[in-house]
Amino acid sequence: MFGVFHGVSQTATECAQQLYRYRPKVPFHIWVAPRPPFGYKDTNASKIKERLLQTNEMTAFLLRIDRETGKRGAEKDWALDAYCQIMANRHYSLNNLRDDLRSLLTEMGNTFIYVGNDSDPQSLESLKAAAQALDSAHNSAVAKAKNISLSEYRARQSKDYLDPNEIFECEKFRISDSYGIEVTESLVEMDKGGRLIRAIAGLEAILAPPEESFTDPKTGQTYPTPPTIVTQKDRTERDNLPLCIDWGNYSARWLARFNLGLHQILKRLVRGEEFTADDSTLLKMREIAIHCAAQVKAILGFTIPGDCKPIWLLAIMLEQLGLKLTFRKQGKRGQQVKLFSLSKEELEFAMHVIAHRVEKRNQKENRTYYAPQTPAVYSVNPNQQPVSVPPPDAIGNSHCQGEDTTDESRGAEEQRSRGVEESFCIISFPPAPLPSCSPAPEPPPTDRITLLHCVEILRSGISRGVDAIKGILKRWQSDLRWETVLELEAIAANELRLVESQVPEFYALLNEEVLPMEG
């Protein structure tokens, strides 16, 4: 049994569980990284909790919701404390994985024989070759997997167990849907288990301009509002994930990069401009990063050294966004200066993927606009015959052969007395006023998920102006319009106030008599 552990995500206990999955007693050949490849993590539970709540609070502030209620989810205090303690223990094991795993396996009755060291070049080359072979086999299996549909992919996400072929098929679908191009072995390798597409999503977010600026009433400091594509993800997570430990806090990450000046730097780089190591913008970015090193570590996940170089910092941040720096030399020998710019290959690929993501969002919005909002929940066949009512004397003297029990003369008389009250109507949701029909039952309320989706559609239309708002409202019936506006009032009252100031007749548009429904 062979085990190679890098100290990225698996603690000593999880490594031991993997080794003992194979039940027969065989020798273990184990290699453990001497230190975590991405830096040491915090092992203080109190600090982990403090930073988590601070990040949640910042995201709540950027989403314009109450800071105190926005920094916590539905979890109890003891549950949050337990989570932070578990994370502290995990970080300790990852920071000291080599010693922790050796100690654990020794307690389990194993004896160690050291057969190599970290400076053995032959062993290192063998490990690299084995890793490459495993990666190549995985990439090939994913690229050659069968294509599946979206419905199949969603159905498999709820299963407890998938066989290897199903896992490869799901991975192929995810990659194809994310990038919008044919899945090849090289694309699977670039994707790195979804890290690249997450990086490109971050690039798309920081390239988008902020919505507006607002002032913190406590400090008087002005902050930019993150783009809708960022705030929408945070709002969706807070609506659907009740525990704050599961929130991504994308708005806080966007603000950290924006405050470092990455938005302006990237705009220049995308235009094809070049930077030198002593550029004033880069020097300012380094100064801010050193001053806010703790926040950068907590939110962006990397450590700022005391002797941080501007180009090194820029390269690290671009790597998090799926881009790379390249350079050329300019000047005479002995006086040459390096000019840094974006690698064109990575930039063109990222721009293609961003265009694909924008197209997917537009298609989703269009499908939402043109799809029927609510199916008919009440319908009666107008050609259906009246129900036969058995005569009173049929009780105890029932017909033996299943004859029609309708009394023709009495049925005709009763029909004349009831008049139109007994006639059948076709009722849809919400019912149209039919004077000849009896009052229709109240339509069922719109379910929460549909209502929140409608709110997000309306919010996206608010940023596009009056015509977009009218185009959205035309697709909805009056009841759904009012339900959506009331939910918007509860979620983002300030946005509703903005609409009221921009469109004075907004509430009148919620009536179908003023703004008729299309279709």
Side-chain angles (χ1 to χ4, degrees), residues 205-262:
I206 194 61
L207 282 175
E211 296 288 332
E212 58 182 352
S213 297
F214 64 98
T215 303
D216 184 357
K218 293 183 178 180
T219 63
Q221 188 174 353
T222 302
Y223 292 90
T225 301
T228 303
I229 58 174
V230 180
T231 56
Q232 188 173 0
K233 290 172 69 176
D234 278 320
R235 287 193 176 98
T236 301
E237 286 193 354
R238 286 169 178 256
D239 288 338
N240 298 330
L241 303 176
L243 304 182
C244 74
I245 58 179
D246 295 325
W247 298 342
N249 291 317
Y250 307 101
S251 296
R253 205 174 306 164
W254 179 90
L255 182 65
R257 291 179 174 132
F258 188 90
N259 285 345
L260 287 171
L262 192 58

Side-chain angles (χ1 to χ4, degrees), residues 7 33-43 51 91-97 297 301-303:
R35 63 189 63 84
F38 301 112
Y40 291 96
K41 299 185 177 182
D42 201 333
T43 58
R51 288 174 182 171
H91 291 172
Y92 176 84
S93 183
L94 292 171
N95 291 347
N96 307 276
L97 186 58
K297 172 67 175 177
F302 63 92
T303 303

Side-chain angles (χ1 to χ4, degrees), residues 148-156 173 177 367:
I148 61 174
S149 64
L150 176 60
S151 58
E152 289 178 292
Y153 178 79
R154 287 177 174 169
R156 291 179 183 180
F173 175 86
D177 184 64
R367 284 197 301 269

Side-chain angles (χ1 to χ4, degrees), residues 82-383:
Y83 166 80
C84 294
Q85 188 60 56
I86 290 171
M87 292 304 297
N89 294 339
R90 285 185 60 85
H91 291 172
Y92 176 84
S93 183
L94 292 171
N95 291 347
N96 307 276
L97 186 58
R98 178 172 284 190
D99 293 335
D100 200 17
L101 182 57
R102 180 169 51 229
S103 174
L104 179 60
L105 292 177
T106 302
E107 291 178 5
M108 297 173 73
N110 294 282
T111 303
F112 284 88
I113 302 173
Y114 298 95
V115 295
N117 54 58
D118 293 329
S119 60
D120 184 357
Q122 185 175 356
S123 298
L124 291 176
E125 290 300 322
S126 298
L127 287 173
K128 288 181 181 179
Q132 290 174 356
L134 291 173
D135 290 341
S136 178
H138 170 79
N139 298 341
S140 176
V142 172
K144 295 177 181 177
K146 185 181 71 174
N147 294 322
I148 61 174
S149 64
L150 176 60
S151 58
E152 289 178 292
Y153 178 79
R154 287 177 174 169
R156 291 179 183 180
Q157 301 310 299
S158 59
K159 291 185 177 179
D160 294 331
Y161 172 78
L162 297 176
D163 63 48
N165 288 333
E166 289 177 328
I167 293 174
F168 294 142
E169 290 165 2
C170 288
E171 184 71 356
K172 182 176 183 179
F173 175 86
R174 181 192 65 77
I175 295 174
S176 175
D177 184 64
S178 299
Y179 297 96
I181 57 177
E182 181 184 359
V183 179
T184 62
E185 292 185 30
S186 60
L187 180 59
V188 179
E189 182 180 3
M190 289 169 55
D191 178 67
K192 295 181 180 178
R195 276 183 284 179
L196 179 59
I197 192 62
R198 289 193 293 271
I200 294 177
L203 173 64
E204 181 184 13
I206 194 61
L207 282 175
E211 296 288 332
E212 58 182 352
S213 297
F214 64 98
T215 303
D216 184 357
K218 293 183 178 180
T219 63
Q221 188 174 353
T222 302
Y223 292 90
T225 301
T228 303
I229 58 174
V230 180
T231 56
Q232 188 173 0
K233 290 172 69 176
D234 278 320
R235 287 193 176 98
T236 301
E237 286 193 354
R238 286 169 178 256
D239 288 338
N240 298 330
L241 303 176
L243 304 182
C244 74
I245 58 179
D246 295 325
W247 298 342
N249 291 317
Y250 307 101
S251 296
R253 205 174 306 164
W254 179 90
L255 182 65
R257 291 179 174 132
F258 188 90
N259 285 345
L260 287 171
L262 192 58
H263 174 71
Q264 297 298 334
I265 294 172
L266 265 176
K267 285 174 63 177
R268 292 172 58 186
L269 285 170
V270 170
R271 289 198 299 263
E273 294 186 28
E274 296 175 314
F275 283 83
T276 59
D278 58 353
D279 186 280
S280 60
T281 310
L282 299 185
L283 294 175
K284 183 179 179 181
M285 179 177 70
R286 182 192 65 173
E287 181 183 349
I288 297 173
I290 293 175
H291 180 70
C292 304
Q295 289 83 351
V296 171
K297 172 67 175 177
I299 298 175
L300 298 182
F302 63 92
T303 303
I304 302 294
D307 58 345
C308 173
K309 305 295 182 184
I311 292 297
W312 175 87
L313 177 59
L314 178 61
I316 289 292
M317 298 182 71
L318 291 178
E319 186 179 357
Q320 289 189 336
L321 303 176
L323 301 177
K324 288 183 180 179
L325 277 180
T326 186
F327 69 90
R328 65 183 181 89
K329 294 181 180 179
Q330 186 180 59
K332 299 178 182 179
R333 181 174 297 180
Q335 300 177 352
Q336 291 180 333
V337 177
K338 286 185 178 180
L339 299 176
F340 294 88
S341 60
L342 287 178
S343 173
K344 290 185 178 181
E345 182 179 355
E346 283 76 11
L347 177 60
E348 290 175 357
F349 179 79
M351 290 296 132
H352 169 80
V353 176
I354 289 175
H356 170 68
R357 290 169 59 84
V358 172
E359 183 181 0
K360 279 178 59 180
R361 285 197 297 270
N362 292 339
Q363 289 176 352
K364 184 177 180 180
E365 282 191 13
N366 291 336
R367 284 197 301 269
T368 306
Y369 293 156
Y370 289 98
Q373 294 299 320
T374 316
V377 292
Y378 307 110
S379 61
V380 180
N381 184 358
N383 297 321

Side-chain angles (χ1 to χ4, degrees), residues 435-482:
S436 61
C437 300
S438 58
E442 287 292 326
T446 308
D447 66 273
R448 174 75 175 166
I449 295 177
T450 303
L451 193 57
L452 290 174
H453 187 54
C454 292
V455 170
E456 291 304 325
I457 293 173
L458 182 59
R459 293 175 78 173
S460 68
I462 291 172
S463 62
R464 298 200 300 268
V466 179
D467 291 337
I469 294 174
K470 290 182 178 179
I472 293 171
L473 294 177
K474 284 180 182 178
R475 305 295 174 189
W476 298 341
Q477 295 159 336
S478 184
D479 286 355
L480 185 57
R481 296 179 191 180
W482 279 104

